[in-house]
Amino acid sequence: MNPVLEYFKSNIGKSGAEVSPSPLGRWLNGTLLEVNEGSLTMEFLVRKEMCNPGGILHGGIATSMMDDIIGMTVFSLGNQVFYSSVNLSVDFLYSAKPDEKLIVKSNIVRIGKKIAHAEGEIRNEAGQIIAKCTTNLVATSNTIKT
Amino acid sequence: MNPVLEYFKSNIGKSGAEVSPSPLGRWLNGTLLEVNEGSLTMEFLVRKEMCNPGGILHGGIATSMMDDIIGMTVFSLGNQVFYSSVNLSVDFLYSAKPDEKLIVKSNIVRIGKKIAHAEGEIRNEAGQIIAKCTTNLVATSNTIKT
Amino acid sequence: MNPVLEYFKSNIGKSGAEVSPSPLGRWLNGTLLEVNEGSLTMEFLVRKEMCNPGGILHGGIATSMMDDIIGMTVFSLGNQVFYSSVNLSVDFLYSAKPDEKLIVKSNIVRIGKKIAHAEGEIRNEAGQIIAKCTTNLVATSNTIKT
Amino acid sequence: MNPVLEYFKSNIGKSGAEVSPSPLGRWLNGTLLEVNEGSLTMEFLVRKEMCNPGGILHGGIATSMMDDIIGMTVFSLGNQVFYSSVNLSVDFLYSAKPDEKLIVKSNIVRIGKKIAHAEGEIRNEAGQIIAKCTTNLVATSNTIKT
């Protein structure tokens, strides 16, 4: 197992506020449930400040949750280069309210030398899909210092 | 002029933290610069907590800024029904750092009886495009009480 | 089983050129392999005229294949209204050459009263993903005469 | 002016069937109206075989028209490397019928060393938007032999 994935595994059960290297990840404050090569699962709690004027989870924060864990998942593969998001396409299927627990999963479909392609999804505790996304990331020239 | 648009115009120069009906809009805390029928411009300041592990604006927050003002723009048209986001497709073109000012603009391309189609973009003060999006919204059965 | 799905099942093994109600579907000329409630599989043969200047399957035709069978799949659900595409987001993962056989699958994720959400994917015979898409369709006011 | 752009300019008024290096481009058979650095305009005639079961322009062919001219536009910039489509996101706004003339335009928003970002749109003769798209392309390792 690569050392980055090993480090992620040691963080299972910990909250984003404690361990996330992403400032927004600390604000989103998910709890890492599971991590494997190319897939990661986190649980998030919807807070009022994450909501839109209708009082339901803001589409931008749903996107943030998926984008954040996809970045973590790509990073957990242990590659030496940094991948940067090129685009993200998100579909909103159902609403979520404050105090709901959401299960957010990522899946790396392809990790090419130039382009990585990944999917994300958010489900509520009843298993209903709240949102899903696909995204492409480009390998940058920046190496990662660990 | 419809009364909702008139209300928005009275908020020019005010911050999201003061006047936004969107809890996330208060957190994003943009300042309304301009609003017209079908288009709205806000200025946002990038804060550290809005960033990803690379220390630059998180794609999810860039998305949130655009999605939030597009919702405001559709609302400002004064229709009696609530429009809900169906999908959003965002492209990330350039990075933004903490303390940068961003100019975020919306444009409603079509407001149909069933589907509205809109665009958003974020530029930095030098005019460079940071991100752009397109989104479709569906007219729901929920009427808006004002 | 609804009569439309039953009709589709009677067309398994037949070619688009023979039975497709879609003029483009006749040109694409896929062969129906399988159809179930909310999912359909067709096989297509890449022809030279379907290719781009690089001599590989044109992204627009990959999109056409997925869009066409998603339309068929929504129709096969037997609803009385016609669904029209609102948007489609496609990712291109691998190339395909003339004379390759492609397996194209659809999956209806949600069929709401207003919006349907579906996915499509194209794989080659080795099982490698060539392209995938997500799409939203809106229920129109047009009823279907059968 | 780079020689590729010069060549394109010499093809203004000619049809795709005559001059397109794209097999699908010959089938789509547009007429080149205008070409500049980073933008290109073609006119297409909707034919019955380009339509869906509803008798209107198939979304996949609308996508093909935009994707094809975006590829031409990137190529016309005269770069030595081949750009390959990573993703394409298309929105369908209005229908088009057989025998309608469509004006299709491309616009290269950014041409980076790794990623190019472009937009396309289709309008009818009355100026109404039929479809629009955004797309990202990746610079491949393949050099172009001219």
Side-chain angles (χ1 to χ4, degrees):
Chain A
M1 202 191 307
N2 79 67
V4 184
L5 184 55
E6 210 164 348
Y7 171 73
F8 271 86
K9 280 191 182 285
S10 76
N11 280 333
I12 287 175
K14 292 187 185 162
S15 70
E18 290 173 85
V19 298
S20 178
S22 162
L24 183 70
R26 290 195 285 274
W27 186 83
L28 293 171
N29 196 22
T31 302
L32 185 59
L33 298 186
E34 198 181 334
V35 56
N36 293 297
E37 198 155 314
S39 178
L40 187 152
T41 309
M42 279 188 98
E43 183 185 285
F44 290 86
L45 188 70
V46 181
R47 300 193 308 271
K48 272 183 199 162
E49 59 186 334
M50 294 177 176
C51 291
N52 70 17
I56 57 174
L57 180 65
H58 198 291
I61 298 303
T63 305
S64 297
M65 290 172 177
M66 292 187 285
D67 189 41
D68 203 61
I69 78 158
I70 287 170
M72 288 168 66
T73 316
V74 170
F75 181 62
S76 75
L77 294 173
N79 290 319
Q80 299 306 306
V81 295
F82 184 73
Y83 283 79
S84 174
S85 296
V86 172
N87 81 296
L88 189 147
S89 175
V90 56
D91 295 295
F92 304 108
L93 290 125
Y94 202 73
S95 63
K97 289 183 179 158
D99 297 327
E100 273 195 67
K101 273 185 192 169
L102 302 179
I103 307 300
V104 186
K105 278 190 196 199
S106 61
N107 176 38
I108 310 295
V109 176
R110 184 182 71 173
I111 186 99
K113 258 179 291 181
K114 291 183 174 169
I115 300 288
H117 179 70
E119 302 168 331
E121 64 163 46
I122 303 180
R123 290 179 185 264
N124 62 19
E125 286 192 287
Q128 189 156 28
I129 298 186
I130 306 294
K132 46 200 282 285
C133 79
T134 57
T135 180
N136 295 289
L137 305 95
V138 62
T140 67
S141 313
N142 302 329
T143 49
I144 288 167
K145 39 188 184 223
T146 42
Chain B
M1 200 191 307
N2 79 66
V4 184
L5 184 55
E6 210 165 348
Y7 170 73
F8 271 87
K9 279 191 182 286
S10 76
N11 281 332
I12 287 175
K14 293 187 185 163
S15 70
E18 289 174 85
V19 298
S20 179
S22 162
L24 183 70
R26 290 196 285 275
W27 186 84
L28 293 171
N29 196 23
T31 302
L32 185 59
L33 298 186
E34 198 181 334
V35 56
N36 293 298
E37 197 154 315
S39 178
L40 187 152
T41 309
M42 280 189 97
E43 181 184 285
F44 290 87
L45 188 71
V46 181
R47 301 194 308 270
K48 273 183 198 159
E49 59 186 335
M50 293 176 175
C51 291
N52 69 19
I56 57 175
L57 179 64
H58 198 291
I61 298 304
T63 305
S64 297
M65 290 171 178
M66 292 187 285
D67 189 41
D68 203 60
I69 78 158
I70 287 169
M72 288 168 66
T73 316
V74 171
F75 181 61
S76 75
L77 294 172
N79 290 318
Q80 300 305 307
V81 295
F82 184 74
Y83 282 79
S84 174
S85 296
V86 172
N87 81 295
L88 189 146
S89 175
V90 56
D91 294 294
F92 304 107
L93 290 124
Y94 201 72
S95 62
K97 288 182 178 159
D99 298 326
E100 273 194 68
K101 273 185 192 170
L102 302 178
I103 306 300
V104 186
K105 277 191 197 200
S106 61
N107 177 37
I108 309 296
V109 176
R110 184 181 70 173
I111 186 99
K113 258 179 291 179
K114 291 184 174 170
I115 300 287
H117 179 70
E119 301 169 331
E121 64 163 47
I122 303 180
R123 290 180 186 264
N124 61 20
E125 286 192 287
Q128 188 156 28
I129 299 186
I130 306 294
K132 45 200 282 286
C133 79
T134 56
T135 180
N136 295 289
L137 305 96
V138 63
T140 67
S141 313
N142 302 330
T143 49
I144 288 167
K145 40 193 181 216
T146 42
Chain C
M1 202 191 305
N2 80 65
V4 185
L5 183 56
E6 211 164 347
Y7 171 72
F8 271 86
K9 278 190 183 287
S10 76
N11 281 332
I12 287 175
K14 293 187 185 162
S15 71
E18 290 173 84
V19 298
S20 179
S22 162
L24 183 70
R26 290 196 285 274
W27 186 85
L28 293 171
N29 196 22
T31 302
L32 185 58
L33 298 186
E34 198 182 334
V35 55
N36 294 299
E37 197 155 314
S39 178
L40 188 151
T41 308
M42 279 189 99
E43 181 185 285
F44 290 87
L45 187 71
V46 181
R47 300 193 308 271
K48 273 182 198 163
E49 60 185 334
M50 295 177 175
C51 291
N52 69 18
I56 56 174
L57 179 65
H58 198 291
I61 297 304
T63 304
S64 297
M65 290 171 177
M66 292 187 285
D67 190 40
D68 203 61
I69 78 158
I70 287 169
M72 289 168 65
T73 316
V74 170
F75 180 61
S76 76
L77 294 173
N79 291 318
Q80 299 306 306
V81 295
F82 185 72
Y83 282 79
S84 174
S85 296
V86 173
N87 82 296
L88 189 146
S89 175
V90 56
D91 294 294
F92 304 107
L93 290 124
Y94 201 71
S95 62
K97 289 183 179 158
D99 298 326
E100 273 195 66
K101 274 187 192 168
L102 302 178
I103 306 300
V104 186
K105 278 190 195 200
S106 61
N107 177 37
I108 309 295
V109 176
R110 184 182 71 173
I111 187 98
K113 257 179 290 180
K114 292 185 173 168
I115 300 288
H117 179 70
E119 301 169 332
E121 65 164 43
I122 303 180
R123 290 178 186 265
N124 62 19
E125 287 192 287
Q128 189 156 26
I129 298 185
I130 305 295
K132 46 201 283 285
C133 79
T134 57
T135 180
N136 295 289
L137 305 96
V138 62
T140 67
S141 312
N142 301 330
T143 48
I144 289 167
K145 39 189 183 224
T146 44
Chain D
M1 201 192 305
N2 79 66
V4 185
L5 183 55
E6 211 163 346
Y7 171 74
F8 272 85
K9 280 190 182 287
S10 76
N11 280 332
I12 287 175
K14 294 189 184 160
S15 70
E18 290 173 85
V19 297
S20 179
S22 162
L24 183 69
R26 290 196 285 274
W27 186 84
L28 293 170
N29 195 22
T31 302
L32 186 58
L33 298 186
E34 198 182 334
V35 56
N36 293 298
E37 196 155 314
S39 178
L40 188 151
T41 308
M42 280 189 97
E43 183 185 284
F44 290 86
L45 188 70
V46 181
R47 301 194 307 271
K48 272 183 197 161
E49 59 186 334
M50 295 177 176
C51 291
N52 69 18
I56 56 174
L57 179 64
H58 198 291
I61 297 304
T63 305
S64 297
M65 289 171 178
M66 294 188 284
D67 189 40
D68 203 59
I69 79 157
I70 287 169
M72 288 169 65
T73 316
V74 170
F75 180 61
S76 75
L77 294 172
N79 290 318
Q80 299 307 305
V81 296
F82 185 74
Y83 283 79
S84 174
S85 296
V86 172
N87 81 297
L88 189 147
S89 174
V90 55
D91 294 294
F92 305 107
L93 290 124
Y94 202 72
S95 62
K97 287 182 180 160
D99 297 325
E100 274 195 66
K101 273 186 192 168
L102 302 179
I103 307 300
V104 186
K105 278 190 197 201
S106 61
N107 177 38
I108 309 294
V109 177
R110 184 181 70 173
I111 186 98
K113 258 179 292 181
K114 292 184 173 169
I115 300 288
H117 179 71
E119 301 169 333
E121 63 164 45
I122 303 180
R123 290 179 186 265
N124 62 20
E125 286 192 287
Q128 188 156 28
I129 299 185
I130 305 294
K132 45 199 284 286
C133 78
T134 56
T135 180
N136 295 289
L137 305 95
V138 62
T140 67
S141 313
N142 302 330
T143 49
I144 289 167
K145 38 190 183 221
T146 43

